[in-house]
Amino acid sequence: MNLTYFLFFICIIICTLIITHWAAKYTKTTYQYYTAAGSLTGIQNGMAIAGDFISAASFLGIVGAIAINGYDGFLYSIGFLVSYLILLFFIAEPVHHLGKYSLGDVICARFPNRKVRMIMALGAFIISILYMIPQLVASGLLIRLLLDIDYSTSVIIIGSLMTIYVVFGGMYATSWVQIVKTVLLMSGTFLLSLIVFSRFNWEITELFEQVKQGSVLGKQFFLPGQIFGNPLEAVSLQLALILGTAGLPHILIRFYTVRNVVEVRRSVITASWIIGVFYVITLVLGLGAVALIGGENLIAVDATGNLAAPLLAKELGGDFLLAFISAIAFTTIVAVIAGLVISATTAFSHDIYHHIIKKGRATEKEQLRAAQWTALGVGITATLFALGLKNINVTFLVSLTFIVAASSNLPVLLFTIYWKRFNQTGAVIGMMSGLIVSLILLLFGPHIMNPDGGWIAREPLFPLYNPGIIAIPIGFLGAIFGTMLSRQPLESDKAFKQFSIRAQTGIDTRRDGS
Amino acid sequence: MESLFRQFVQEKKRFLLPAIVFLFVFYFSLPLTLAFFPQQMSATLPFINLSWGWLYAFAQFIMTWLLCWMYWHKAKHFDQLVERMQEENR
């Protein structure tokens, strides 16, 4: 291992541990642990949301996808960005008004029922764990490549770091690690894109020319149709991307960390600016990678293109810049995973332990203790899974996360907030049908059933790589039919009106007795 | 309180419904036009060296920021209504 690399990594680890140490001093109550006591400003929270959202898959994956597939690679980023509008318009403010710590709180504000809470907690838990595993596996592979440490050691290092942040620092540490990550990531990639432009004497046309020469696609590089030949597949993916974000528990719980709705809005808008600018930068980096390194060389090193960004850094600034970009990729990974750990922890310790097992009677101290033990358990479990899945390609789990979120969490959230007739049977059935259908379609789809190197070497029973277009409507229909077919008495007009006022404005109109 | 809340919901709907319809049409037209009119989308624009496909892709960014800004602007008015409701609720 080379000294520059080592110093960068040690520096990042020490900085984040200092943040955690500072955060631990302020983490004495559950309110502080789960929500950082609502102390973040909108801008800070927006940066943390961006830090939570931009995963290694976005940073390394999209640069690679653009470098290899040209135009179609860029289409991924658009779905990720536009999804923030759905979040802003319909979900973010009601979630802030209705919930305290978790998504279960939001649904239980209308249906105070243990079964509903259980199912929401399980959904949030499953989504977070499913998303965490591919991130950890990817991080292990990345660190192995960059630092030349073996896979298991790197997974254990990252696994223990994320666990330490969340166990001791709770939401304070998670948020600030994410904010630091956003600053590093944005400034580092921006710098890199400037160096790319300078290589072409700041002439965009010259860059384009070089790209056409460098890419194996030649002139086709700038034209659509490299990945998405099948329109159904394209629409299905875009549907999952645009609706997924508004159902991701680790993003939604971030709206508890600010004081009021103005700050909620400010956080979403800040996040959308950071993420949008970031995707423009990844485009430049993707183009730069093809132009300077050449498509063939990129594919030769790694067929998925995941190493395009590190290779570009090495080409532009030698070992030093490569070490810097690797350190940024490393921070990116730990920040995202920490966000997922705290989301899984909240679902388990607040919803399942406090509300279901202890029936809401656990003391403050017990709750905090439970949260910290849960975080430890979640960290260890995810690390063990990642260690076991070393040689298996798990990147499809990333797209699965968006599909599950869009088909199970989103319908239930939307209907709970806006649909008067909705009832708890509808909520339970909607959650279950979305979750089960997306898992089944994925299991029988070409990601897993594939004669060409799939887990099950057979022709897939379901033809689409992106089952969103089937799974998402089924989630919505499940919630609707569950509501229509159950014989629960309709909520009174007054009760729904009270709920609705609270969801939309945060005003509690209940008088006395409650 | 009741009438204010009704006004609040109405005004919010008047902004959000057209916005969401526009958003979905504008957003899904991108993959659809790419799939069904690949020739036209690959044609280069007059004057600048860029194809319609790229222009439309960048327009999605502009659309997101524009709608964010419009909502931010509208929401100030919604907040005033909420404030009045809070006063009545006291």
mmCIF file of all heavy atoms in Angstrom, chain A residues 114-139:
data_model
loop_
_atom_site.group_PDB
_atom_site.id
_atom_site.type_symbol
_atom_site.label_atom_id
_atom_site.label_comp_id
_atom_site.label_asym_id
_atom_site.label_seq_id
_atom_site.Cartn_x
_atom_site.Cartn_y
_atom_site.Cartn_z
ATOM 1 N N ARG A 114 -51.317 -1.906 16.139
ATOM 2 C CA ARG A 114 -49.996 -2.550 16.188
ATOM 3 C C ARG A 114 -49.631 -3.270 14.910
ATOM 4 O O ARG A 114 -48.487 -3.318 14.505
ATOM 5 C CB ARG A 114 -49.952 -3.557 17.318
ATOM 6 C CG ARG A 114 -49.531 -2.845 18.546
ATOM 7 C CD ARG A 114 -49.042 -3.754 19.602
ATOM 8 N NE ARG A 114 -49.420 -3.088 20.830
ATOM 9 C CZ ARG A 114 -50.234 -3.599 21.703
ATOM 10 N NH1 ARG A 114 -50.706 -4.809 21.561
ATOM 11 N NH2 ARG A 114 -50.568 -2.906 22.760
ATOM 12 N N LYS A 115 -50.672 -3.860 14.261
ATOM 13 C CA LYS A 115 -50.384 -4.618 13.044
ATOM 14 C C LYS A 115 -49.836 -3.684 11.960
ATOM 15 O O LYS A 115 -48.873 -3.999 11.262
ATOM 16 C CB LYS A 115 -51.676 -5.286 12.548
ATOM 17 C CG LYS A 115 -51.409 -6.640 11.967
ATOM 18 C CD LYS A 115 -52.648 -7.450 11.602
ATOM 19 C CE LYS A 115 -53.972 -6.788 11.707
ATOM 20 N NZ LYS A 115 -55.117 -7.450 11.187
ATOM 21 N N VAL A 116 -50.467 -2.501 11.836
ATOM 22 C CA VAL A 116 -50.034 -1.536 10.830
ATOM 23 C C VAL A 116 -48.597 -1.089 11.108
ATOM 24 O O VAL A 116 -47.753 -1.027 10.221
ATOM 25 C CB VAL A 116 -50.976 -0.319 10.815
ATOM 26 C CG1 VAL A 116 -50.476 0.724 9.858
ATOM 27 C CG2 VAL A 116 -52.377 -0.748 10.451
ATOM 28 N N ARG A 117 -48.323 -0.819 12.392
ATOM 29 C CA ARG A 117 -46.986 -0.359 12.755
ATOM 30 C C ARG A 117 -45.951 -1.434 12.446
ATOM 31 O O ARG A 117 -44.874 -1.161 11.909
ATOM 32 C CB ARG A 117 -46.938 0.010 14.232
ATOM 33 C CG ARG A 117 -45.687 0.776 14.590
ATOM 34 C CD ARG A 117 -45.642 1.144 16.033
ATOM 35 N NE ARG A 117 -46.402 2.340 16.366
ATOM 36 C CZ ARG A 117 -45.939 3.574 16.218
ATOM 37 N NH1 ARG A 117 -44.754 3.772 15.691
ATOM 38 N NH2 ARG A 117 -46.660 4.610 16.573
ATOM 39 N N MET A 118 -46.331 -2.679 12.764
ATOM 40 C CA MET A 118 -45.428 -3.808 12.533
ATOM 41 C C MET A 118 -45.051 -3.895 11.058
ATOM 42 O O MET A 118 -43.887 -4.035 10.699
ATOM 43 C CB MET A 118 -46.150 -5.082 12.972
ATOM 44 C CG MET A 118 -45.316 -6.321 12.894
ATOM 45 S SD MET A 118 -44.202 -6.324 14.308
ATOM 46 C CE MET A 118 -43.161 -7.673 13.854
ATOM 47 N N ILE A 119 -46.082 -3.771 10.201
ATOM 48 C CA ILE A 119 -45.835 -3.963 8.782
ATOM 49 C C ILE A 119 -45.005 -2.811 8.219
ATOM 50 O O ILE A 119 -44.106 -3.019 7.396
ATOM 51 C CB ILE A 119 -47.182 -4.165 8.048
ATOM 52 C CG1 ILE A 119 -46.996 -5.062 6.855
ATOM 53 C CG2 ILE A 119 -47.790 -2.912 7.575
ATOM 54 C CD1 ILE A 119 -47.473 -6.411 7.071
ATOM 55 N N MET A 120 -45.265 -1.581 8.699
ATOM 56 C CA MET A 120 -44.453 -0.446 8.242
ATOM 57 C C MET A 120 -43.004 -0.611 8.685
ATOM 58 O O MET A 120 -42.069 -0.327 7.932
ATOM 59 C CB MET A 120 -44.991 0.870 8.820
ATOM 60 C CG MET A 120 -46.243 1.402 8.192
ATOM 61 S SD MET A 120 -46.201 1.480 6.405
ATOM 62 C CE MET A 120 -45.074 2.842 6.109
ATOM 63 N N ALA A 121 -42.825 -1.065 9.935
ATOM 64 C CA ALA A 121 -41.466 -1.228 10.453
ATOM 65 C C ALA A 121 -40.734 -2.299 9.653
ATOM 66 O O ALA A 121 -39.577 -2.112 9.271
ATOM 67 C CB ALA A 121 -41.513 -1.605 11.929
ATOM 68 N N LEU A 122 -41.433 -3.405 9.390
ATOM 69 C CA LEU A 122 -40.794 -4.474 8.617
ATOM 70 C C LEU A 122 -40.403 -3.972 7.235
ATOM 71 O O LEU A 122 -39.312 -4.255 6.741
ATOM 72 C CB LEU A 122 -41.743 -5.660 8.461
ATOM 73 C CG LEU A 122 -41.734 -6.658 9.612
ATOM 74 C CD1 LEU A 122 -42.694 -7.788 9.322
ATOM 75 C CD2 LEU A 122 -40.324 -7.194 9.825
ATOM 76 N N GLY A 123 -41.321 -3.217 6.600
ATOM 77 C CA GLY A 123 -41.028 -2.679 5.267
ATOM 78 C C GLY A 123 -39.782 -1.807 5.294
ATOM 79 O O GLY A 123 -38.859 -1.986 4.498
ATOM 80 N N ALA A 124 -39.732 -0.870 6.259
ATOM 81 C CA ALA A 124 -38.583 0.033 6.347
ATOM 82 C C ALA A 124 -37.309 -0.761 6.611
ATOM 83 O O ALA A 124 -36.251 -0.483 6.038
ATOM 84 C CB ALA A 124 -38.803 1.051 7.467
ATOM 85 N N PHE A 125 -37.422 -1.762 7.480
ATOM 86 C CA PHE A 125 -36.265 -2.576 7.845
ATOM 87 C C PHE A 125 -35.738 -3.327 6.625
ATOM 88 O O PHE A 125 -34.542 -3.295 6.329
ATOM 89 C CB PHE A 125 -36.697 -3.554 8.941
ATOM 90 C CG PHE A 125 -35.552 -4.162 9.670
ATOM 91 C CD1 PHE A 125 -34.867 -3.438 10.630
ATOM 92 C CD2 PHE A 125 -35.154 -5.452 9.401
ATOM 93 C CE1 PHE A 125 -33.802 -3.989 11.306
ATOM 94 C CE2 PHE A 125 -34.083 -6.016 10.072
ATOM 95 C CZ PHE A 125 -33.406 -5.288 11.024
ATOM 96 N N ILE A 126 -36.667 -3.971 5.897
ATOM 97 C CA ILE A 126 -36.256 -4.764 4.732
ATOM 98 C C ILE A 126 -35.615 -3.863 3.677
ATOM 99 O O ILE A 126 -34.549 -4.167 3.137
ATOM 100 C CB ILE A 126 -37.466 -5.513 4.132
ATOM 101 C CG1 ILE A 126 -37.907 -6.603 5.102
ATOM 102 C CG2 ILE A 126 -37.123 -6.123 2.778
ATOM 103 C CD1 ILE A 126 -39.149 -7.332 4.683
ATOM 104 N N ILE A 127 -36.252 -2.715 3.391
ATOM 105 C CA ILE A 127 -35.699 -1.817 2.375
ATOM 106 C C ILE A 127 -34.289 -1.376 2.761
ATOM 107 O O ILE A 127 -33.363 -1.413 1.956
ATOM 108 C CB ILE A 127 -36.607 -0.587 2.171
ATOM 109 C CG1 ILE A 127 -37.920 -1.020 1.525
ATOM 110 C CG2 ILE A 127 -35.931 0.468 1.317
ATOM 111 C CD1 ILE A 127 -38.905 0.094 1.338
ATOM 112 N N SER A 128 -34.124 -1.003 4.035
ATOM 113 C CA SER A 128 -32.805 -0.507 4.439
ATOM 114 C C SER A 128 -31.745 -1.598 4.354
ATOM 115 O O SER A 128 -30.631 -1.352 3.894
ATOM 116 C CB SER A 128 -32.855 0.052 5.859
ATOM 117 O OG SER A 128 -33.850 1.038 5.934
ATOM 118 N N ILE A 129 -32.084 -2.805 4.808
ATOM 119 C CA ILE A 129 -31.092 -3.886 4.768
ATOM 120 C C ILE A 129 -30.770 -4.265 3.317
ATOM 121 O O ILE A 129 -29.615 -4.456 2.951
ATOM 122 C CB ILE A 129 -31.609 -5.121 5.537
ATOM 123 C CG1 ILE A 129 -31.781 -4.792 7.016
ATOM 124 C CG2 ILE A 129 -30.670 -6.297 5.353
ATOM 125 C CD1 ILE A 129 -30.540 -4.859 7.839
ATOM 126 N N LEU A 130 -31.808 -4.338 2.484
ATOM 127 C CA LEU A 130 -31.586 -4.704 1.084
ATOM 128 C C LEU A 130 -30.674 -3.706 0.380
ATOM 129 O O LEU A 130 -29.904 -4.064 -0.499
ATOM 130 C CB LEU A 130 -32.914 -4.751 0.318
ATOM 131 C CG LEU A 130 -33.767 -5.992 0.480
ATOM 132 C CD1 LEU A 130 -35.023 -5.858 -0.349
ATOM 133 C CD2 LEU A 130 -32.989 -7.224 0.075
ATOM 134 N N TYR A 131 -30.794 -2.446 0.765
ATOM 135 C CA TYR A 131 -29.996 -1.416 0.130
ATOM 136 C C TYR A 131 -28.577 -1.419 0.694
ATOM 137 O O TYR A 131 -27.610 -1.115 0.002
ATOM 138 C CB TYR A 131 -30.658 -0.059 0.390
ATOM 139 C CG TYR A 131 -30.304 1.024 -0.605
ATOM 140 C CD1 TYR A 131 -29.892 0.724 -1.890
ATOM 141 C CD2 TYR A 131 -30.423 2.358 -0.258
ATOM 142 C CE1 TYR A 131 -29.589 1.723 -2.795
ATOM 143 C CE2 TYR A 131 -30.125 3.360 -1.153
ATOM 144 C CZ TYR A 131 -29.701 3.035 -2.421
ATOM 145 O OH TYR A 131 -29.399 4.033 -3.306
ATOM 146 N N MET A 132 -28.486 -1.781 1.983
ATOM 147 C CA MET A 132 -27.199 -1.736 2.661
ATOM 148 C C MET A 132 -26.238 -2.788 2.123
ATOM 149 O O MET A 132 -25.049 -2.529 1.966
ATOM 150 C CB MET A 132 -27.448 -1.986 4.147
ATOM 151 C CG MET A 132 -26.469 -1.335 5.067
ATOM 152 S SD MET A 132 -26.837 -1.736 6.780
ATOM 153 C CE MET A 132 -28.546 -1.358 6.988
ATOM 154 N N ILE A 133 -26.766 -3.984 1.841
ATOM 155 C CA ILE A 133 -25.884 -5.085 1.448
ATOM 156 C C ILE A 133 -25.110 -4.793 0.158
ATOM 157 O O ILE A 133 -23.886 -4.905 0.150
ATOM 158 C CB ILE A 133 -26.668 -6.405 1.388
ATOM 159 C CG1 ILE A 133 -27.048 -6.797 2.817
ATOM 160 C CG2 ILE A 133 -25.859 -7.508 0.739
ATOM 161 C CD1 ILE A 133 -28.053 -7.886 2.910
ATOM 162 N N PRO A 134 -25.791 -4.370 -0.935
ATOM 163 C CA PRO A 134 -24.993 -4.079 -2.134
ATOM 164 C C PRO A 134 -23.978 -2.967 -1.919
ATOM 165 O O PRO A 134 -22.879 -2.997 -2.480
ATOM 166 C CB PRO A 134 -26.026 -3.677 -3.184
ATOM 167 C CG PRO A 134 -27.255 -3.362 -2.443
ATOM 168 C CD PRO A 134 -27.224 -4.189 -1.207
ATOM 169 N N GLN A 135 -24.335 -1.969 -1.074
ATOM 170 C CA GLN A 135 -23.373 -0.884 -0.810
ATOM 171 C C GLN A 135 -22.123 -1.425 -0.123
ATOM 172 O O GLN A 135 -21.001 -1.043 -0.445
ATOM 173 C CB GLN A 135 -23.985 0.178 0.104
ATOM 174 C CG GLN A 135 -25.276 0.759 -0.371
ATOM 175 C CD GLN A 135 -25.079 1.809 -1.426
ATOM 176 O OE1 GLN A 135 -23.979 2.288 -1.622
ATOM 177 N NE2 GLN A 135 -26.139 2.163 -2.114
ATOM 178 N N LEU A 136 -22.362 -2.315 0.850
ATOM 179 C CA LEU A 136 -21.222 -2.875 1.583
ATOM 180 C C LEU A 136 -20.363 -3.753 0.681
ATOM 181 O O LEU A 136 -19.138 -3.687 0.723
ATOM 182 C CB LEU A 136 -21.728 -3.716 2.756
ATOM 183 C CG LEU A 136 -21.760 -3.038 4.109
ATOM 184 C CD1 LEU A 136 -22.410 -3.937 5.127
ATOM 185 C CD2 LEU A 136 -20.345 -2.699 4.548
ATOM 186 N N VAL A 137 -21.041 -4.580 -0.145
ATOM 187 C CA VAL A 137 -20.286 -5.453 -1.046
ATOM 188 C C VAL A 137 -19.461 -4.603 -2.008
ATOM 189 O O VAL A 137 -18.258 -4.824 -2.192
ATOM 190 C CB VAL A 137 -21.248 -6.378 -1.828
ATOM 191 C CG1 VAL A 137 -20.482 -7.148 -2.884
ATOM 192 C CG2 VAL A 137 -21.944 -7.333 -0.888
ATOM 193 N N ALA A 138 -20.107 -3.565 -2.563
ATOM 194 C CA ALA A 138 -19.397 -2.691 -3.502
ATOM 195 C C ALA A 138 -18.219 -2.024 -2.823
ATOM 196 O O ALA A 138 -17.126 -1.926 -3.390
ATOM 197 C CB ALA A 138 -20.343 -1.632 -4.049
ATOM 198 N N SER A 139 -18.438 -1.588 -1.575
ATOM 199 C CA SER A 139 -17.351 -0.896 -0.879
ATOM 200 C C SER A 139 -16.190 -1.845 -0.644
ATOM 201 O O SER A 139 -15.032 -1.461 -0.796
ATOM 202 C CB SER A 139 -17.847 -0.340 0.446
ATOM 203 O OG SER A 139 -18.138 -1.397 1.317
#
